[in-house]
Structures are given as C-alpha cells and as structure tokens.
Amino acid sequence: MDLFRGLAPIACVVLARAFARPLRHGNGLAEASLISFCLIAGLSSVWSDSFTATAFKAIQMTGAALAVLYLVRYYPSSDRAVQGLATACHGLLIATGIQWAFFPANVYVSEEIGLAPRLGSSIPQVSANPLAFVAVAGLAGLLLRVGPRLITNSTLVTISLGGLYVAELIGTRTRSGIAVGILMVAVAFFSLANRRAALVLNTVLAILITLVWLGPRYSDSVRTYLTRGQDRQALSTLTGRTNIWGRAIDAWQDDKLLGLGYFYGHRASIPGLPPTQSNLDSTWIEALVDVGVVGAAALALFFASGFVRLLRGDMERDAKLWSVLVGLYGLAISFVNPTIQAPGGAMVLLAFVLLANGAGRRIDWPLERGPRVVASGDARAPVPGSS
C-alpha cells in the first residue's frame, strides 16, 4: 500500500507533464532542501533494520513532495496558487461537514479505547490533528477572504461556514491546535482593524461579554472537554509525549548522524514503545531518530528557506498574510505533532505554502499566441518588443 501511495502521485506528475505544460519554473534552496531530505530518507533504507519498510515509505514521501513541487508550477502566479490551496481547504472542510452530518460514525471516532471521540475526515482520510490544521486555515481564509469568490463574496455563506469550521475545530479536540489556532485567527481578525474597525470592535466586545456571562456556567464542561477523558498523569506528560520523547532520544544516541532508518526507525527500533505507536508526536524528534542530524538539518533548512522566501515574496497582502499564518501554525505544532517529515495532510498543506512562492518565473512557450508576458504576483505586462 505504501508503494502504491508513493507511485500514484509520481504517476500523476508524469501524466500532468505529458498533457499540460507547467506555467512557471524556478528552483531555490527550499526545493533543494526538500529533495535532499527525500534522498536521505531513501538512502536510509541501506542501514535500516527493514529495507522494504523504509524504502516504501521513502517512496511515498518522495511522491508527495514531487506532486507538491510540480503542482505549484501549474498556477500562473503565487497568489493564484495560494488561492487554489485555500479553496482546497474550504472544500475539505465542507466535505467533512457533510460526512459528519450524514455518516457521523465514520468520522467521529475514538482513536484509543476509553478516550473521548475526535473528529476526522473519512473521504479523503484525514485524522484529527491535520483536520484541525485545515480548520484553522479555513477560518483565517474566511476572515481574510482568501478562497473562491462564491464563499468570500457572500456574508451569509462566510458566517455559515465560519460556524461549521469552528464546530469542526472543536470536534477534533486538538488542544495544541485550538490554542495556536486561536492566536492565528486573532491575528487575521485584527489585521482587518484598519479596514473594518467597527466590525472588529463590536465582535471583540461581543466575545468578551459572552465569556464573562457563560464562563462560570460552563467551566466544568470546558474542563471535561479539554481533558478528553485522560487522567492527571496523561495530562502532565502531554498525553504521554514526554515519555515517548525520552525513549526516542535514548534510541537516537545509537546513530546521531544518520539515524535508524526513515519510518521504520521510530516504528520498531525504539525499545519500550508499543507496535501501535505510529509516530513520535514531534516532527523534529522523529526526524532525528529516523534520518539523524543530516536529515533533520535538511528538513529544517527547507522550512527556514521556504518561510524566509515567503516573507520576502511579492504577493497580495491578504494572501501573503494567510500563507504566513499557515506557516507559523505549522511551525508551532511541529514540536508536538508530525507535519512535514512524513506524507500526509499537514505535510501537503505546509509544503505547498512554503513552495508556492518559489516558482516565480513564467514560462514563455514558443507556441503561445499573443504577446509574451511575465508574471510578478498577479500583475502581467507585455514584454517590450513583443508583438
């Protein structure tokens, strides 16, 4: 299955390249760092205790990375790429809402016996933590009007979807995601102060009044919601994360430079962890264990270079702020959740944002009719001397 999941996006890239030409090109440090991480992950199969498991998972990661790398090039500008990503987030959240309404047993399930159920998506399959990521991105998109015009130009639709996204975020019971998400959405909201000061002020006053009025009455319910049925020991260890991280760091000492093998290293090479432990709940600790300092450094360089390029990029203000908020959210939760080190919803969302501003030069194909154009953001102008 991992081999199929890896080859499927690669096949899509090949087919897309055969039937449609990319609209932009350009590579930089971020692209090189991401490809380097994928190569290191693949090479780690040589020293992994399971060549097959590591190789297949590395192929899946490489396929996802290549798909994102090529997909951003099929948009005529960075702004259009970001708009496309935001549209995909809205679509996923709406689809999850439909599934939640008609098939709740398929999307609202308990991930562990004895714990409260958490909301995820069944089609496409997205677990609770990445879904919280998408929900925060969707809320920020509604506030900043980043997404399809059908949604952003209608106040009624925006308010309705905002209620749905908040319900989905709460349904995921992702405490770190909710905490960071509140900060990110607040930044997006207050960015509107200069343009819609009355709306911002009235909304803040309404929220404060609601909290003062309902806070004491529902404090016990909020406490029960946040604990998710866990005892004090589970809460004090961040749902067992600190214990997992301690064992992982001890195992990493065996090979600090190259790690124990991508994927298989943290799944089967850490004494004391159950076989059901699918990840280490930390992007950076998992990267260190699997691909060592070399691989973790490539991953960190990918994020840092992509984010710096995003900050310096020439994009429309709201689209750029939305992208920056998505990147900051991804960075914040990467310390307590898997993100860009493994293929999945969080990896695709975060990698797309970091790469969207990279392919900045528009390709002028010889068969293209009309005046040649160059793209800078959304602005297009005829090239002097063209006819």
Side-chain angles (χ1 to χ4, degrees), residues 47-384:
W47 56 83
S48 171
D49 290 338
S50 175
F51 175 88
T52 303
T54 296
F56 282 2
K57 203 66 177 183
I59 291 174
Q60 185 180 347
M61 176 65 188
T62 302
L66 287 177
V68 176
L69 278 167
Y70 270 86
L71 181 58
V72 298
R73 298 163 189 265
Y74 282 88
Y75 289 91
S77 68
S78 301
D79 289 304
R80 293 286 294 276
V82 169
Q83 292 285 348
L85 178 61
T87 300
C89 290
H90 292 302
L92 174 59
L93 293 170
I94 293 172
T96 301
I98 295 173
Q99 295 173 71
W100 195 6
F102 294 98
F103 311 101
N106 293 335
V107 297
Y108 203 59
V109 298
S110 178
E111 296 181 349
E112 295 182 33
I113 297 177
L115 298 184
R118 304 176 65 190
L119 180 66
S121 174
S122 179
I123 303 174
Q125 187 173 5
V126 181
S127 60
N129 290 339
L131 183 62
F133 192 173
V134 179
V136 171
L139 286 169
L142 292 177
L143 289 171
L144 297 173
R145 296 186 177 182
V146 180
R149 294 181 179 179
L150 179 64
I151 292 175
T152 59
N153 288 351
S154 172
T155 303
L156 178 61
V157 173
T158 298
I159 294 175
S160 301
L161 290 182
L164 173 62
Y165 297 173
V166 169
E168 291 178 341
L169 179 61
I170 295 174
T172 64
R173 291 179 176 265
T174 305
R175 291 171 297 215
S176 58
I178 292 174
V180 178
I182 289 175
L183 294 176
M184 299 297 103
V185 172
V187 172
F189 185 73
F190 283 106
S191 71
L192 304 176
N194 293 333
R195 289 172 282 175
R196 307 171 75 179
L199 173 63
V200 172
L201 180 60
N202 292 333
T203 303
V204 170
L205 289 176
I207 292 174
L208 291 176
I209 293 173
T210 302
L211 290 176
V212 172
W213 179 37
L214 299 179
R217 184 178 304 179
Y218 292 98
S219 59
D220 292 338
S221 299
V222 172
R223 187 179 302 109
T224 301
Y225 164 80
L226 292 175
T227 57
R228 295 195 324 223
Q230 297 171 334
D231 56 24
R232 181 172 298 181
Q233 181 180 2
L235 294 173
S236 64
T237 59
L238 300 179
T239 319
R241 282 181 172 86
T242 55
N243 296 331
I244 295 172
W245 295 341
R247 295 179 185 273
I249 293 299
D250 291 340
W252 171 59
Q253 305 298 322
D254 294 339
D255 195 335
K256 294 182 179 181
L257 185 62
L258 298 177
L260 307 177
Y262 185 69
F263 177 71
Y264 192 80
H266 74 266
R267 287 294 297 267
S269 301
I270 302 178
L273 293 187
T276 56
Q277 188 69 43
S278 60
N279 60 74
L280 299 182
D281 283 318
S282 173
T283 295
W284 309 107
I285 292 179
E286 187 171 311
L288 285 171
V289 171
D290 287 355
V291 289
V293 174
V294 175
L299 196 64
L301 186 59
F302 164 60
F303 187 94
S305 57
F307 194 75
V308 169
R309 188 171 63 188
L310 173 62
L311 292 175
R312 294 178 176 178
D314 182 19
M315 296 173 62
E316 190 271 330
R317 180 176 62 177
D318 289 338
K320 184 173 184 177
L321 178 57
W322 184 84
S323 302
V324 170
L325 291 176
V326 169
L328 289 175
Y329 181 98
L331 176 62
I333 66 168
S334 69
F335 295 98
V336 293
N337 280 304
T339 52
I340 53 175
Q341 92 291 357
M347 176 267 172
V348 171
L349 179 56
L350 192 53
F352 194 102
V353 164
L354 296 176
L355 294 171
N357 204 51
R361 297 188 297 276
R362 183 175 173 86
I363 300 176
D364 182 26
W365 295 106
L367 296 180
E368 183 174 319
R369 294 183 178 181
R372 293 183 294 122
V373 296
V374 293
S376 176
D378 273 332
R380 302 181 191 177
V383 175

Side-chain angles (χ1 to χ4, degrees), residues 10-64:
I10 295 177
C12 290
V13 169
V14 173
L15 289 175
R17 189 66 179 84
F19 291 99
R21 292 171 170 176
L23 301 178
R24 295 185 297 155
H25 68 96
N27 294 306
L29 186 57
E31 288 79 7
S33 301
L34 179 59
I35 294 300
S36 297
F37 176 79
C38 293
L39 289 175
I40 294 169
L43 289 174
S44 69
S45 60
V46 175
W47 56 83
S48 171
D49 290 338
S50 175
F51 175 88
T52 303
T54 296
F56 282 2
K57 203 66 177 183
I59 291 174
Q60 185 180 347
M61 176 65 188
T62 302

